[in-house]
Amino acid sequence: MSPLFKKFKDDIGLDEEENEETEEEEEEEKTKNKHSAKKEEKRKRDNDDDNNKKSGDWLESKGQLAADVYETDSDFCIQAPVAGVNQEEIEIFVENNMLVIKGERPEPDAGQNKKYYYKECYWGPFSRQTMLPEDANTQRIAASFKKGVLTIKIPKKKTEKRKITIEAD
């Protein structure tokens, strides 16, 4: 800026107005920042509340049992690791063409005060539902439990081939 223009600005008081405007802008910016900080803080609180609700819901809900489902020539098979559960505590039934597995994995040392570093294992009630194919023979389902692995075999229905004769007109 040229010295003449600077002197002119000083004489008519433009710097003071600019300073006043700058101060007003700075105040507005501070106010906006305060509002933004309050909004951010509220969002974090709400998010924490949501997370607490979700974790609370998770604790109350049933965990899903991991399972492998595969087919052989004669059977449909389901295998699921259910370590920490006695076979008497596992319930298996068919309802509306759906195979349902239910149980509960009790937490060891549940009453003790623990400080977890990781909590990846699910303790508590669990269930798994698997839709059965049309050719599943639900009357002959068999289950076994060995070394913490539940294996369910669902035999396939035998389909008979029937020769159809064509009638002549």
mmCIF file of all heavy atoms in Angstrom, residues 64-106:
data_model
loop_
_atom_site.group_PDB
_atom_site.id
_atom_site.type_symbol
_atom_site.label_atom_id
_atom_site.label_comp_id
_atom_site.label_asym_id
_atom_site.label_seq_id
_atom_site.Cartn_x
_atom_site.Cartn_y
_atom_site.Cartn_z
ATOM 1 N N GLN A 64 -25.523 -64.248 18.055
ATOM 2 C CA GLN A 64 -25.723 -65.188 16.967
ATOM 3 C C GLN A 64 -24.604 -66.213 16.978
ATOM 4 O O GLN A 64 -23.440 -65.878 17.104
ATOM 5 C CB GLN A 64 -25.765 -64.472 15.626
ATOM 6 C CG GLN A 64 -26.037 -65.445 14.510
ATOM 7 C CD GLN A 64 -26.709 -64.799 13.344
ATOM 8 O OE1 GLN A 64 -27.071 -63.647 13.402
ATOM 9 N NE2 GLN A 64 -26.887 -65.533 12.276
ATOM 10 N N LEU A 65 -24.972 -67.443 16.834
ATOM 11 C CA LEU A 65 -24.038 -68.553 16.811
ATOM 12 C C LEU A 65 -23.429 -68.649 15.414
ATOM 13 O O LEU A 65 -24.151 -68.656 14.417
ATOM 14 C CB LEU A 65 -24.807 -69.841 17.157
ATOM 15 C CG LEU A 65 -24.017 -71.117 17.248
ATOM 16 C CD1 LEU A 65 -23.032 -71.042 18.415
ATOM 17 C CD2 LEU A 65 -24.954 -72.290 17.449
ATOM 18 N N ALA A 66 -22.113 -68.709 15.334
ATOM 19 C CA ALA A 66 -21.442 -68.879 14.045
ATOM 20 C C ALA A 66 -21.657 -70.313 13.585
ATOM 21 O O ALA A 66 -21.647 -71.238 14.404
ATOM 22 C CB ALA A 66 -19.959 -68.582 14.186
ATOM 23 N N ALA A 67 -21.857 -70.506 12.298
ATOM 24 C CA ALA A 67 -22.117 -71.858 11.794
ATOM 25 C C ALA A 67 -21.637 -72.001 10.362
ATOM 26 O O ALA A 67 -21.618 -71.039 9.590
ATOM 27 C CB ALA A 67 -23.606 -72.169 11.878
ATOM 28 N N ASP A 68 -21.245 -73.218 10.021
ATOM 29 C CA ASP A 68 -20.954 -73.593 8.645
ATOM 30 C C ASP A 68 -22.109 -74.463 8.173
ATOM 31 O O ASP A 68 -22.532 -75.375 8.891
ATOM 32 C CB ASP A 68 -19.656 -74.403 8.547
ATOM 33 C CG ASP A 68 -18.427 -73.582 8.869
ATOM 34 O OD1 ASP A 68 -18.487 -72.345 8.750
ATOM 35 O OD2 ASP A 68 -17.397 -74.172 9.234
ATOM 36 N N VAL A 69 -22.624 -74.190 6.998
ATOM 37 C CA VAL A 69 -23.704 -74.990 6.425
ATOM 38 C C VAL A 69 -23.189 -75.534 5.098
ATOM 39 O O VAL A 69 -22.711 -74.776 4.259
ATOM 40 C CB VAL A 69 -24.976 -74.135 6.213
ATOM 41 C CG1 VAL A 69 -26.085 -74.972 5.599
ATOM 42 C CG2 VAL A 69 -25.422 -73.503 7.516
ATOM 43 N N TYR A 70 -23.264 -76.842 4.947
ATOM 44 C CA TYR A 70 -22.791 -77.457 3.714
ATOM 45 C C TYR A 70 -23.659 -78.654 3.366
ATOM 46 O O TYR A 70 -24.522 -79.068 4.133
ATOM 47 C CB TYR A 70 -21.312 -77.839 3.814
ATOM 48 C CG TYR A 70 -20.983 -78.839 4.902
ATOM 49 C CD1 TYR A 70 -20.945 -80.203 4.621
ATOM 50 C CD2 TYR A 70 -20.709 -78.424 6.195
ATOM 51 C CE1 TYR A 70 -20.648 -81.120 5.616
ATOM 52 C CE2 TYR A 70 -20.403 -79.341 7.185
ATOM 53 C CZ TYR A 70 -20.372 -80.689 6.893
ATOM 54 O OH TYR A 70 -20.075 -81.595 7.878
ATOM 55 N N GLU A 71 -23.403 -79.230 2.206
ATOM 56 C CA GLU A 71 -24.214 -80.321 1.691
ATOM 57 C C GLU A 71 -23.303 -81.448 1.235
ATOM 58 O O GLU A 71 -22.235 -81.217 0.673
ATOM 59 C CB GLU A 71 -25.016 -79.755 0.514
ATOM 60 C CG GLU A 71 -25.786 -80.734 -0.290
ATOM 61 C CD GLU A 71 -26.535 -80.057 -1.443
ATOM 62 O OE1 GLU A 71 -26.394 -78.841 -1.647
ATOM 63 O OE2 GLU A 71 -27.252 -80.786 -2.133
ATOM 64 N N THR A 72 -23.718 -82.677 1.491
ATOM 65 C CA THR A 72 -23.052 -83.859 0.948
ATOM 66 C C THR A 72 -24.048 -84.520 -0.008
ATOM 67 O O THR A 72 -25.153 -84.006 -0.217
ATOM 68 C CB THR A 72 -22.634 -84.839 2.064
ATOM 69 O OG1 THR A 72 -23.806 -85.350 2.693
ATOM 70 C CG2 THR A 72 -21.734 -84.161 3.093
ATOM 71 N N ASP A 73 -23.681 -85.671 -0.541
ATOM 72 C CA ASP A 73 -24.601 -86.359 -1.448
ATOM 73 C C ASP A 73 -25.903 -86.754 -0.754
ATOM 74 O O ASP A 73 -26.967 -86.738 -1.357
ATOM 75 C CB ASP A 73 -23.935 -87.614 -2.032
ATOM 76 C CG ASP A 73 -22.825 -87.256 -3.011
ATOM 77 O OD1 ASP A 73 -22.846 -86.128 -3.539
ATOM 78 O OD2 ASP A 73 -21.940 -88.104 -3.243
ATOM 79 N N SER A 74 -25.821 -87.090 0.538
ATOM 80 C CA SER A 74 -27.002 -87.611 1.224
ATOM 81 C C SER A 74 -27.587 -86.685 2.288
ATOM 82 O O SER A 74 -28.711 -86.895 2.735
ATOM 83 C CB SER A 74 -26.655 -88.948 1.875
ATOM 84 O OG SER A 74 -25.600 -88.762 2.800
ATOM 85 N N ASP A 75 -26.836 -85.654 2.737
ATOM 86 C CA ASP A 75 -27.272 -84.838 3.865
ATOM 87 C C ASP A 75 -26.999 -83.352 3.646
ATOM 88 O O ASP A 75 -26.099 -82.970 2.899
ATOM 89 C CB ASP A 75 -26.512 -85.227 5.139
ATOM 90 C CG ASP A 75 -26.715 -86.661 5.553
ATOM 91 O OD1 ASP A 75 -27.872 -87.100 5.602
ATOM 92 O OD2 ASP A 75 -25.702 -87.339 5.837
ATOM 93 N N PHE A 76 -27.776 -82.549 4.370
ATOM 94 C CA PHE A 76 -27.444 -81.147 4.594
ATOM 95 C C PHE A 76 -26.819 -81.123 5.986
ATOM 96 O O PHE A 76 -27.333 -81.763 6.904
ATOM 97 C CB PHE A 76 -28.690 -80.259 4.569
ATOM 98 C CG PHE A 76 -29.398 -80.281 3.247
ATOM 99 C CD1 PHE A 76 -30.556 -81.029 3.089
ATOM 100 C CD2 PHE A 76 -28.909 -79.563 2.170
ATOM 101 C CE1 PHE A 76 -31.218 -81.058 1.879
ATOM 102 C CE2 PHE A 76 -29.568 -79.583 0.952
ATOM 103 C CZ PHE A 76 -30.725 -80.340 0.803
ATOM 104 N N CYS A 77 -25.730 -80.401 6.161
ATOM 105 C CA CYS A 77 -25.026 -80.416 7.442
ATOM 106 C C CYS A 77 -24.813 -78.995 7.971
ATOM 107 O O CYS A 77 -24.577 -78.068 7.195
ATOM 108 C CB CYS A 77 -23.670 -81.099 7.305
ATOM 109 S SG CYS A 77 -23.780 -82.795 6.729
ATOM 110 N N ILE A 78 -24.885 -78.889 9.286
ATOM 111 C CA ILE A 78 -24.603 -77.630 9.962
ATOM 112 C C ILE A 78 -23.602 -77.934 11.062
ATOM 113 O O ILE A 78 -23.813 -78.845 11.865
ATOM 114 C CB ILE A 78 -25.882 -77.017 10.574
ATOM 115 C CG1 ILE A 78 -26.909 -76.732 9.474
ATOM 116 C CG2 ILE A 78 -25.563 -75.762 11.370
ATOM 117 C CD1 ILE A 78 -28.264 -76.316 9.989
ATOM 118 N N GLN A 79 -22.512 -77.184 11.094
ATOM 119 C CA GLN A 79 -21.518 -77.323 12.159
ATOM 120 C C GLN A 79 -21.359 -75.974 12.841
ATOM 121 O O GLN A 79 -21.236 -74.945 12.186
ATOM 122 C CB GLN A 79 -20.157 -77.769 11.617
ATOM 123 C CG GLN A 79 -20.127 -79.238 11.281
ATOM 124 C CD GLN A 79 -18.722 -79.696 10.946
ATOM 125 O OE1 GLN A 79 -17.976 -78.994 10.269
ATOM 126 N NE2 GLN A 79 -18.375 -80.875 11.407
ATOM 127 N N ALA A 80 -21.347 -76.015 14.184
ATOM 128 C CA ALA A 80 -21.234 -74.771 14.947
ATOM 129 C C ALA A 80 -20.367 -75.001 16.175
ATOM 130 O O ALA A 80 -20.602 -75.948 16.927
ATOM 131 C CB ALA A 80 -22.618 -74.296 15.374
ATOM 132 N N PRO A 81 -19.352 -74.165 16.379
ATOM 133 C CA PRO A 81 -18.560 -74.271 17.605
ATOM 134 C C PRO A 81 -19.340 -73.672 18.781
ATOM 135 O O PRO A 81 -19.792 -72.540 18.705
ATOM 136 C CB PRO A 81 -17.305 -73.448 17.298
ATOM 137 C CG PRO A 81 -17.747 -72.473 16.259
ATOM 138 C CD PRO A 81 -18.854 -73.126 15.494
ATOM 139 N N VAL A 82 -19.537 -74.471 19.812
ATOM 140 C CA VAL A 82 -20.268 -74.001 20.985
ATOM 141 C C VAL A 82 -19.471 -74.350 22.244
ATOM 142 O O VAL A 82 -19.981 -74.990 23.157
ATOM 143 C CB VAL A 82 -21.709 -74.568 21.045
ATOM 144 C CG1 VAL A 82 -22.598 -73.881 20.050
ATOM 145 C CG2 VAL A 82 -21.727 -76.055 20.807
ATOM 146 N N ALA A 83 -18.235 -73.919 22.276
ATOM 147 C CA ALA A 83 -17.372 -74.191 23.422
ATOM 148 C C ALA A 83 -17.945 -73.554 24.680
ATOM 149 O O ALA A 83 -18.546 -72.488 24.642
ATOM 150 C CB ALA A 83 -15.965 -73.651 23.155
ATOM 151 N N GLY A 84 -17.774 -74.247 25.790
ATOM 152 C CA GLY A 84 -18.233 -73.720 27.062
ATOM 153 C C GLY A 84 -19.684 -74.015 27.363
ATOM 154 O O GLY A 84 -20.225 -73.517 28.345
ATOM 155 N N VAL A 85 -20.327 -74.822 26.530
ATOM 156 C CA VAL A 85 -21.732 -75.151 26.719
ATOM 157 C C VAL A 85 -21.860 -76.675 26.810
ATOM 158 O O VAL A 85 -21.260 -77.403 26.021
ATOM 159 C CB VAL A 85 -22.589 -74.631 25.535
ATOM 160 C CG1 VAL A 85 -24.040 -74.996 25.698
ATOM 161 C CG2 VAL A 85 -22.425 -73.131 25.390
ATOM 162 N N ASN A 86 -22.633 -77.142 27.764
ATOM 163 C CA ASN A 86 -22.921 -78.572 27.854
ATOM 164 C C ASN A 86 -24.001 -78.915 26.844
ATOM 165 O O ASN A 86 -24.909 -78.114 26.600
ATOM 166 C CB ASN A 86 -23.404 -78.948 29.260
ATOM 167 C CG ASN A 86 -22.318 -78.759 30.302
ATOM 168 O OD1 ASN A 86 -21.143 -78.999 30.034
ATOM 169 N ND2 ASN A 86 -22.713 -78.325 31.474
ATOM 170 N N GLN A 87 -23.923 -80.118 26.286
ATOM 171 C CA GLN A 87 -24.897 -80.485 25.254
ATOM 172 C C GLN A 87 -26.322 -80.489 25.778
ATOM 173 O O GLN A 87 -27.260 -80.260 25.014
ATOM 174 C CB GLN A 87 -24.538 -81.822 24.616
ATOM 175 C CG GLN A 87 -24.744 -83.038 25.500
ATOM 176 C CD GLN A 87 -24.266 -84.302 24.818
ATOM 177 O OE1 GLN A 87 -23.172 -84.330 24.260
ATOM 178 N NE2 GLN A 87 -25.085 -85.329 24.850
ATOM 179 N N GLU A 88 -26.513 -80.685 27.071
ATOM 180 C CA GLU A 88 -27.856 -80.652 27.647
ATOM 181 C C GLU A 88 -28.446 -79.246 27.604
ATOM 182 O O GLU A 88 -29.659 -79.062 27.709
ATOM 183 C CB GLU A 88 -27.854 -81.144 29.106
ATOM 184 C CG GLU A 88 -27.391 -82.580 29.300
ATOM 185 C CD GLU A 88 -25.870 -82.703 29.378
ATOM 186 O OE1 GLU A 88 -25.182 -81.737 29.789
ATOM 187 O OE2 GLU A 88 -25.358 -83.764 28.992
ATOM 188 N N GLU A 89 -27.613 -78.249 27.495
ATOM 189 C CA GLU A 89 -28.068 -76.853 27.496
ATOM 190 C C GLU A 89 -28.375 -76.331 26.091
ATOM 191 O O GLU A 89 -28.729 -75.171 25.920
ATOM 192 C CB GLU A 89 -27.007 -75.965 28.155
ATOM 193 C CG GLU A 89 -26.767 -76.324 29.612
ATOM 194 C CD GLU A 89 -25.545 -75.619 30.190
ATOM 195 O OE1 GLU A 89 -24.624 -75.251 29.432
ATOM 196 O OE2 GLU A 89 -25.513 -75.452 31.405
ATOM 197 N N ILE A 90 -28.223 -77.188 25.079
ATOM 198 C CA ILE A 90 -28.478 -76.780 23.696
ATOM 199 C C ILE A 90 -29.840 -77.319 23.282
ATOM 200 O O ILE A 90 -30.165 -78.482 23.490
ATOM 201 C CB ILE A 90 -27.381 -77.316 22.751
ATOM 202 C CG1 ILE A 90 -26.016 -76.767 23.170
ATOM 203 C CG2 ILE A 90 -27.699 -76.922 21.306
ATOM 204 C CD1 ILE A 90 -24.865 -77.403 22.433
ATOM 205 N N GLU A 91 -30.639 -76.459 22.682
ATOM 206 C CA GLU A 91 -31.971 -76.839 22.225
ATOM 207 C C GLU A 91 -32.000 -76.716 20.704
ATOM 208 O O GLU A 91 -31.608 -75.686 20.143
ATOM 209 C CB GLU A 91 -32.992 -75.888 22.857
ATOM 210 C CG GLU A 91 -34.413 -76.228 22.605
ATOM 211 C CD GLU A 91 -35.362 -75.245 23.289
ATOM 212 O OE1 GLU A 91 -34.914 -74.380 24.057
ATOM 213 O OE2 GLU A 91 -36.559 -75.348 23.008
ATOM 214 N N ILE A 92 -32.464 -77.784 20.031
ATOM 215 C CA ILE A 92 -32.554 -77.793 18.570
ATOM 216 C C ILE A 92 -33.981 -78.191 18.193
ATOM 217 O O ILE A 92 -34.493 -79.194 18.703
ATOM 218 C CB ILE A 92 -31.560 -78.799 17.947
ATOM 219 C CG1 ILE A 92 -30.135 -78.509 18.416
ATOM 220 C CG2 ILE A 92 -31.654 -78.771 16.428
ATOM 221 C CD1 ILE A 92 -29.143 -79.600 18.091
ATOM 222 N N PHE A 93 -34.622 -77.410 17.332
ATOM 223 C CA PHE A 93 -35.964 -77.767 16.886
ATOM 224 C C PHE A 93 -36.228 -77.179 15.509
ATOM 225 O O PHE A 93 -35.493 -76.303 15.039
ATOM 226 C CB PHE A 93 -37.034 -77.322 17.894
ATOM 227 C CG PHE A 93 -37.015 -75.848 18.219
ATOM 228 C CD1 PHE A 93 -37.791 -74.955 17.509
ATOM 229 C CD2 PHE A 93 -36.216 -75.366 19.256
ATOM 230 C CE1 PHE A 93 -37.782 -73.608 17.816
ATOM 231 C CE2 PHE A 93 -36.199 -74.014 19.567
ATOM 232 C CZ PHE A 93 -36.981 -73.129 18.845
ATOM 233 N N VAL A 94 -37.274 -77.697 14.860
ATOM 234 C CA VAL A 94 -37.693 -77.216 13.546
ATOM 235 C C VAL A 94 -39.035 -76.517 13.709
ATOM 236 O O VAL A 94 -39.951 -77.047 14.344
ATOM 237 C CB VAL A 94 -37.816 -78.374 12.528
ATOM 238 C CG1 VAL A 94 -38.346 -77.863 11.196
ATOM 239 C CG2 VAL A 94 -36.480 -79.062 12.333
ATOM 240 N N GLU A 95 -39.118 -75.319 13.140
ATOM 241 C CA GLU A 95 -40.339 -74.536 13.216
ATOM 242 C C GLU A 95 -40.514 -73.783 11.906
ATOM 243 O O GLU A 95 -39.600 -73.031 11.505
ATOM 244 C CB GLU A 95 -40.238 -73.560 14.395
ATOM 245 C CG GLU A 95 -41.479 -72.761 14.662
ATOM 246 C CD GLU A 95 -41.316 -71.906 15.916
ATOM 247 O OE1 GLU A 95 -40.442 -71.016 15.910
ATOM 248 O OE2 GLU A 95 -42.062 -72.145 16.868
ATOM 249 N N ASN A 96 -41.650 -74.001 11.242
ATOM 250 C CA ASN A 96 -41.939 -73.324 9.964
ATOM 251 C C ASN A 96 -40.819 -73.487 8.953
ATOM 252 O O ASN A 96 -40.338 -72.522 8.361
ATOM 253 C CB ASN A 96 -42.227 -71.838 10.188
ATOM 254 C CG ASN A 96 -43.436 -71.608 11.044
ATOM 255 O OD1 ASN A 96 -44.382 -72.382 11.012
ATOM 256 N ND2 ASN A 96 -43.394 -70.552 11.840
ATOM 257 N N ASN A 97 -40.374 -74.711 8.778
ATOM 258 C CA ASN A 97 -39.304 -75.060 7.830
ATOM 259 C C ASN A 97 -37.983 -74.335 8.138
ATOM 260 O O ASN A 97 -37.194 -74.033 7.255
ATOM 261 C CB ASN A 97 -39.752 -74.791 6.393
ATOM 262 C CG ASN A 97 -39.047 -75.705 5.409
ATOM 263 O OD1 ASN A 97 -38.746 -76.852 5.723
ATOM 264 N ND2 ASN A 97 -38.780 -75.208 4.220
ATOM 265 N N MET A 98 -37.777 -74.031 9.406
ATOM 266 C CA MET A 98 -36.572 -73.351 9.862
ATOM 267 C C MET A 98 -35.962 -74.175 11.002
ATOM 268 O O MET A 98 -36.655 -74.532 11.947
ATOM 269 C CB MET A 98 -36.952 -71.957 10.367
ATOM 270 C CG MET A 98 -35.827 -71.099 10.823
ATOM 271 S SD MET A 98 -35.270 -69.944 9.589
ATOM 272 C CE MET A 98 -36.718 -69.024 9.181
ATOM 273 N N LEU A 99 -34.669 -74.483 10.897
ATOM 274 C CA LEU A 99 -33.969 -75.173 11.979
ATOM 275 C C LEU A 99 -33.479 -74.108 12.956
ATOM 276 O O LEU A 99 -32.834 -73.133 12.544
ATOM 277 C CB LEU A 99 -32.773 -75.969 11.450
ATOM 278 C CG LEU A 99 -32.013 -76.714 12.535
ATOM 279 C CD1 LEU A 99 -32.708 -78.033 12.826
ATOM 280 C CD2 LEU A 99 -30.583 -76.960 12.140
ATOM 281 N N VAL A 100 -33.801 -74.276 14.233
ATOM 282 C CA VAL A 100 -33.438 -73.295 15.254
ATOM 283 C C VAL A 100 -32.525 -73.965 16.282
ATOM 284 O O VAL A 100 -32.827 -75.051 16.774
ATOM 285 C CB VAL A 100 -34.695 -72.728 15.960
ATOM 286 C CG1 VAL A 100 -34.302 -71.725 17.033
ATOM 287 C CG2 VAL A 100 -35.638 -72.113 14.954
ATOM 288 N N ILE A 101 -31.404 -73.317 16.575
ATOM 289 C CA ILE A 101 -30.471 -73.783 17.605
ATOM 290 C C ILE A 101 -30.433 -72.694 18.669
ATOM 291 O O ILE A 101 -30.181 -71.527 18.360
ATOM 292 C CB ILE A 101 -29.048 -73.984 17.039
ATOM 293 C CG1 ILE A 101 -29.068 -74.900 15.826
ATOM 294 C CG2 ILE A 101 -28.110 -74.497 18.115
ATOM 295 C CD1 ILE A 101 -27.770 -74.892 15.029
ATOM 296 N N LYS A 102 -30.674 -73.068 19.926
ATOM 297 C CA LYS A 102 -30.655 -72.107 21.031
ATOM 298 C C LYS A 102 -29.831 -72.669 22.178
ATOM 299 O O LYS A 102 -29.760 -73.874 22.363
ATOM 300 C CB LYS A 102 -32.069 -71.830 21.553
ATOM 301 C CG LYS A 102 -32.925 -70.994 20.670
ATOM 302 C CD LYS A 102 -34.244 -70.694 21.343
ATOM 303 C CE LYS A 102 -35.061 -69.734 20.513
ATOM 304 N NZ LYS A 102 -36.287 -69.333 21.193
ATOM 305 N N GLY A 103 -29.259 -71.770 22.936
ATOM 306 C CA GLY A 103 -28.521 -72.174 24.117
ATOM 307 C C GLY A 103 -28.046 -70.959 24.887
ATOM 308 O O GLY A 103 -28.401 -69.826 24.566
ATOM 309 N N GLU A 104 -27.242 -71.217 25.889
ATOM 310 C CA GLU A 104 -26.667 -70.126 26.670
ATOM 311 C C GLU A 104 -25.253 -70.509 27.093
ATOM 312 O O GLU A 104 -25.016 -71.604 27.572
ATOM 313 C CB GLU A 104 -27.516 -69.820 27.899
ATOM 314 C CG GLU A 104 -26.998 -68.611 28.648
ATOM 315 C CD GLU A 104 -28.017 -68.038 29.620
ATOM 316 O OE1 GLU A 104 -29.169 -68.465 29.607
ATOM 317 O OE2 GLU A 104 -27.616 -67.145 30.387
ATOM 318 N N ARG A 105 -24.335 -69.591 26.864
ATOM 319 C CA ARG A 105 -22.937 -69.790 27.243
ATOM 320 C C ARG A 105 -22.693 -68.984 28.517
ATOM 321 O O ARG A 105 -22.603 -67.759 28.471
ATOM 322 C CB ARG A 105 -22.022 -69.308 26.122
ATOM 323 C CG ARG A 105 -20.555 -69.532 26.383
ATOM 324 C CD ARG A 105 -19.689 -69.116 25.202
ATOM 325 N NE ARG A 105 -19.913 -70.011 24.080
ATOM 326 C CZ ARG A 105 -20.399 -69.631 22.898
ATOM 327 N NH1 ARG A 105 -20.698 -68.386 22.674
ATOM 328 N NH2 ARG A 105 -20.567 -70.491 21.929
ATOM 329 N N PRO A 106 -22.603 -69.662 29.679
ATOM 330 C CA PRO A 106 -22.396 -68.921 30.933
ATOM 331 C C PRO A 106 -20.986 -68.342 31.001
ATOM 332 O O PRO A 106 -20.027 -68.979 30.575
ATOM 333 C CB PRO A 106 -22.627 -69.977 32.020
ATOM 334 C CG PRO A 106 -22.377 -71.281 31.346
ATOM 335 C CD PRO A 106 -22.689 -71.104 29.887
#
